[in-house]
Amino acid sequence: MFVDPPRPKPMAPGESPPRQSPAEQLAPGGQATTWVFNPEYQKLVDLWDQVVPLLDKLNASLADVQKKAQSREVWDAPVAERYLKDMAEWRKRLSLYRQGVLTAISDEAADTPRWIPSGADAPRAFLF
């Protein structure tokens, strides 16, 4: 059993952008920076919200089938043990897959700024 990595933090109601530092105000022009929530970061939040229920549904489906297959009322044959071992392996692989997918999203979110100056291209963790 794995623990899910940290979920990308969605923008909270009433959350305000970062404050401008005094050093930024001393920069040439001294203009105040207007911040917007990074749309690339929001995509990662949305992706997490889409993926987790699907992975939970897959895991629940496999767990249900495995539970039914363990009952001797359903199947009482030597091949049933091999089938149950296969199902345990599928659940293990699904768990590893879940860990990999969620870790990739979490790592990308950790490398992507939540707030960006308005008018700027959204910074990304990796440029292709």
Side-chain angles (χ1 to χ4, degrees):
M1 180 58 101
F2 294 99
V3 175
D4 288 344
R7 177 184 189 270
K9 185 179 169 187
M11 188 169 82
E15 181 179 354
S16 58
R19 293 184 181 173
Q20 189 172 9
S21 72
E24 289 177 307
Q25 292 175 348
L26 296 176
Q31 297 289 326
T33 303
T34 305
W35 296 90
V36 295
F37 197 73
N38 189 346
E40 293 298 319
Y41 190 90
Q42 183 61 45
K43 287 178 186 178
L44 295 169
V45 171
D46 295 341
L47 182 61
W48 183 282
D49 292 341
Q50 291 172 0
V51 167
V52 169
L54 295 174
L55 292 170
D56 288 342
K57 185 176 178 180
L58 282 171
N59 189 42
S61 296
L62 279 176
D64 185 46
V65 172
Q66 187 176 19
K67 183 179 177 182
K68 288 178 182 177
Q70 289 172 338
S71 169
R72 294 293 175 196
E73 295 173 6
V74 175
W75 196 357
D76 189 16
V79 73
E81 292 302 319
R82 187 176 69 221
Y83 183 69
L84 288 172
K85 286 180 184 177
D86 286 348
M87 297 218 36
E89 180 63 26
W90 296 339
R91 289 189 69 195
K92 179 181 172 186
R93 288 181 184 184
L94 179 60
S95 179
L96 291 170
Y97 179 74
R98 175 190 181 104
Q99 186 70 20
V101 168
L102 295 182
T103 298
I105 296 170
S106 181
D107 288 351
E108 183 78 16
D111 292 338
T112 304
R114 294 183 73 228
W115 293 91
I116 57 172
S118 72
D121 289 333
R124 299 179 185 186
F126 303 102
L127 298 175
F128 296 89

